[in-house]
């Protein structure tokens, strides 16, 4: 592990080495991750990550499970996805033209080397807590593995769909559905890329079995059957951009953590069995949940949006789940013995937990969007009850990249005017003497629309 450990009188405090701190600061200062002029990107090489927020002292101590709503978690997840995706090929979609300078800049070998250097510490920071939360004790064998995972999947398949309920029950179901699709886009537009990391090398017949699932995901070389292409069509029909990472700033930390988890256990091949366990959970559970997702979109958008993406998964992931269990997991256990089961079960359980957390974070955002007017009214009531913690003055056009706070905050405009943005479909215009309450962990950004704007923030 690249983290050092120093003992203080009362607690263990991790520290980063100077070379790690330098690598982290240098990596994140790349133009690709810097300050943008807009909330939206026009090519896949621009990934605003608020490098000014990096605090090496914070990143030295791994997150705890109650720290996932923090800005540091969001920052670490954004940096990690940048690191992982420098291994993938991205080209912009027409009508966007290829910006050669941005393209070469994103894949700059020196910057990639810095990313590789800091990757283990970011992985430890973002996923280290899983070891404390996911307990996999017990003597495992093939039978108990199957009995346990069957029971979990049976439970997933039962009961009403919370997603359907939240999306259709929103004050603005289309806005809520679009926010859901945006959370999916970070992963689905390059679907199964992490899986592809596992089909190189030679793992005997297991490589070939995994390859069969991979080529399904990639449409057997037919572009319009590739799952990411089917998802592009869905985004277009729902009135959203299908350009990779157009909505980069709008991904929640827990949405990013799903994509990154698969890269984490796939880029580190010592975690291959964890990857297989997580892949089994996602394939088998998608076969059960995509039916609800399809129904939600149909109920919300009617016939204007094709649900083919979710319908295809409802069908094919029944096979993928079965292939993962029967063609990969059982043969792997029989060949390599029960020693591989703890990692299989760990991956299965960890991804299940991360998926549940991402769902909860999505629902919390949709609830906040629905309550934004009430948060605005509450800000007027609370303004003046405490002295402000900080005051900022920004010029016309200044964009504050979407971020979140570790505490609930009162945001208050003293002079000038800005757009306070929480989703591509929802923004408040705030002028002097107006504000809003920002609950802990909720994504928001601002764009100054007057010659200058002064606002204050107060932790509540
Ligand atoms: Fe797929
Ligand atoms: Fe699949
Ligand atoms: Fe903020």
């Amino acid at each position: 592990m690249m983290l050092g450990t120093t003992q203080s009188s009362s607690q263990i405090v991790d520290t980063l080495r100077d070379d790690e701190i330098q690598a982290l600061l240098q990596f994140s200062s790349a133009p690709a991750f810097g300050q943008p002029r807009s909330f939206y990107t026009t090519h896949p090489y621009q990934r605003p990550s608020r490098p000014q927020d990096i605090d090496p002292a914070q990143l030295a101590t791994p997150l705890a499970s109650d720290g996932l709503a923090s800005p540091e978690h969001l920052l670490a997840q954004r940096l990690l996805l940048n690191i992982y995706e420098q291994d993938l090929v991205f080209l912009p979609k027409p009508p966007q033209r290829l910006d050669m300078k941005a393209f070469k800049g994103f894949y700059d070998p020196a910057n990639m080397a810095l990313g590789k250097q800091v990757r283990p510490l970011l992985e430890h920071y973002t996923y280290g807590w899983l070891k404390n939360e996911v307990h996999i004790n017990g003597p495992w064998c093939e039978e108990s593995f199957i009995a346990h995972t069957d029971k979990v999947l049976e439970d997933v398949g039962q009961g009403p769909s919370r997603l359907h309920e939240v999306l259709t029950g929103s004050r603005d179901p289309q806005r809520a559905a679009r926010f859901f699709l945006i959370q999916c886009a970070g992963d689905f537009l390059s679907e199964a890329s992490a899986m592809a990391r596992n089909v190189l090398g030679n793992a005997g017949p297991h490589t070939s079995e995994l390859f069969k699932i991979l080529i399904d995901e990639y449409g057997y070389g037919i572009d319009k059957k590739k799952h990411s292409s089917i998802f592009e069509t869905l985004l277009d029909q729902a009135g959203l951009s299908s350009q990779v990472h157009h909505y980069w700033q709008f991904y929640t930390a827990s949405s990013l953590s799903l994509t990154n988890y698969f890269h984490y256990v796939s880029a580190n091949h010592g975690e291959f069995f964890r990857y297989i366990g997580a892949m089994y959970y996602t394939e088998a559970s998608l076969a059960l949940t995509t039916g609800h997702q399809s129904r939600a979109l149909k109920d919300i958008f009617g016939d204007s949006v094709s649900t083919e993406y979710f319908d295809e998964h409802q069908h094919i992931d029944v096979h993928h789940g079965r292939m993962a269990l029967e063609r990969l997991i059982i043969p792997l256990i029989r060949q390599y013995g029960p020693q591989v089961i703890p990692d299989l079960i760990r991956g299965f359980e960890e991804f299940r937990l991360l998926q549940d957390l991402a769902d909860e974070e999505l629902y919390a955002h949709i609830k906040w969007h629905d309550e934004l007017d009430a948060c605005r009214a509450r800000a007027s009531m609370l303004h003046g009850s405490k002295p402000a913690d900080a005051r900022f003055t920004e010029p016309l056009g200044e964009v504050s990249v979407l971020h979140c706070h570790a505490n609930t905050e009162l945001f208050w405009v003293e002079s000038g005017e800005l757009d306070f943005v929480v989703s591509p479909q929802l923004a408040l215009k705030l002028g002097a003497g107006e504000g809003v309450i920002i609950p802990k962990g909720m994504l928001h950004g601002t764009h100054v629309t007057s010659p200058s704007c002064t606002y204050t923030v107060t932790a509540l």
Side-chain angles (χ1 to χ4, degrees), residues 191 195 213 216-217 227 283 286 313 316-317 320:
E191 190 166 326
M195 185 184 283
I213 300 179
D216 270 352
E217 304 289 348
H227 289 179
E283 297 290 341
L286 278 175
H313 282 84
I316 198 74
D317 282 344
H320 290 170

Side-chain angles (χ1 to χ4, degrees), residues 326-341:
E326 293 172 6
R327 304 292 195 93
L328 278 157
I329 289 175
I330 293 174
L332 284 166
I333 294 173
R334 290 189 182 162
Q335 188 173 351
Y336 299 109
Q339 62 174 338
V340 304
I341 303 183

Side-chain angles (χ1 to χ4, degrees), residues 67-326:
L68 300 177
S70 65
E72 294 80 23
H73 183 216
L74 178 64
L75 172 69
Q77 291 288 0
R78 282 174 172 168
L79 293 178
L80 260 186
L81 191 58
N82 291 336
I83 294 167
Y84 293 132
E85 289 199 341
Q86 284 176 327
D87 291 339
L88 312 181
V89 179
F90 291 104
L91 289 171
K93 249 173 67 135
Q96 297 301 340
R97 307 230 314 263
L98 177 64
D99 177 337
M100 277 305 268
K101 191 168 168 231
F103 168 69
K104 297 272 189 190
F106 180 67
Y107 295 113
D108 173 57
N111 183 258
M112 285 181 67
L114 291 167
K116 296 256 190 303
Q117 189 183 341
V118 298
R119 198 184 82 198
L121 72 89
L122 288 172
E123 290 169 339
H124 184 60
Y125 177 76
T126 48
Y127 296 114
W129 62 275
L130 285 167
K131 273 215 159 40
N132 304 324
E133 297 287 319
V134 176
H135 301 286
I136 50 153
N137 305 338
W140 290 100
C141 63
E142 184 185 319
E143 288 70 32
S144 57
F145 176 89
I146 294 171
H148 172 76
T149 52
D150 275 359
K151 171 79 177 78
V152 168
L153 293 167
E154 197 186 303
D155 290 348
V156 172
Q158 274 170 2
S161 162
R162 193 66 208 292
L163 179 82
H164 183 275
E165 190 189 314
V166 169
L167 296 185
T168 57
S170 164
R171 283 179 61 174
D172 188 334
Q174 293 207 356
R175 182 180 74 207
R178 289 191 178 103
F179 196 73
F180 160 63
L181 292 173
I182 287 169
Q183 299 311 312
C184 298
D187 184 30
F188 295 2
L189 288 176
S190 53
E191 190 166 326
S193 291
M195 185 184 283
R197 294 182 190 266
N198 294 290
V199 297
L200 305 180
N202 187 345
H206 313 298
T207 299
S208 308
E209 293 301 335
L210 187 58
F211 199 77
K212 285 180 197 156
I213 300 179
L214 182 74
I215 55 177
D216 270 352
E217 304 289 348
Y218 276 85
Y220 284 84
I222 314 265
D223 184 61
K224 73 182 195 336
K225 288 194 179 295
K226 195 169 62 175
H227 289 179
S228 58
S229 303
I230 304 173
F231 191 70
E232 284 177 21
T233 306
L234 170 52
L235 289 177
D236 292 336
Q237 290 173 341
L240 292 168
S241 168
S242 56
Q243 183 72 245
V244 169
H245 296 327
H246 182 74
Y247 303 107
W248 170 264
Q249 297 185 42
F250 294 88
Y251 303 147
T252 65
S254 59
S255 297
L256 289 164
S257 88
L258 298 178
T259 317
N260 281 336
Y261 181 83
F262 273 115
H263 283 295
Y264 161 49
V265 292
S266 300
N268 296 286
H269 291 307
E271 307 303 331
F272 175 73
F273 296 101
R274 248 165 116 197
Y275 167 75
I276 295 291
M279 188 269 287
Y280 176 44
Y281 178 78
T282 198
E283 297 290 341
S285 65
L286 278 175
L288 303 165
T289 55
T290 43
H292 299 303
Q293 293 163 345
S294 170
R295 194 163 49 87
L297 290 190
K298 213 166 280 161
D299 290 349
I300 291 169
F301 292 108
D303 292 335
S304 62
V305 167
S306 162
T307 55
E308 185 190 351
Y309 178 83
F310 294 108
D311 299 337
E312 166 69 9
H313 282 84
Q314 197 183 358
H315 153 77
I316 198 74
D317 282 344
V318 173
H319 299 291
H320 290 170
R322 215 175 36 225
M323 287 158 83
L325 180 66
E326 293 172 6

Side-chain angles (χ1 to χ4, degrees), residues 50 392 400-405 409 411 420 438 442-446 455 457:
R50 294 179 63 99
F392 302 91
S400 162
V401 170
L402 272 87
H403 60 282
C404 64
H405 301 288
E409 286 197 350
F411 179 93
F420 181 86
I438 309 165
M442 293 295 110
L443 277 176
H444 62 280
T446 53
Y455 62 87
V457 290

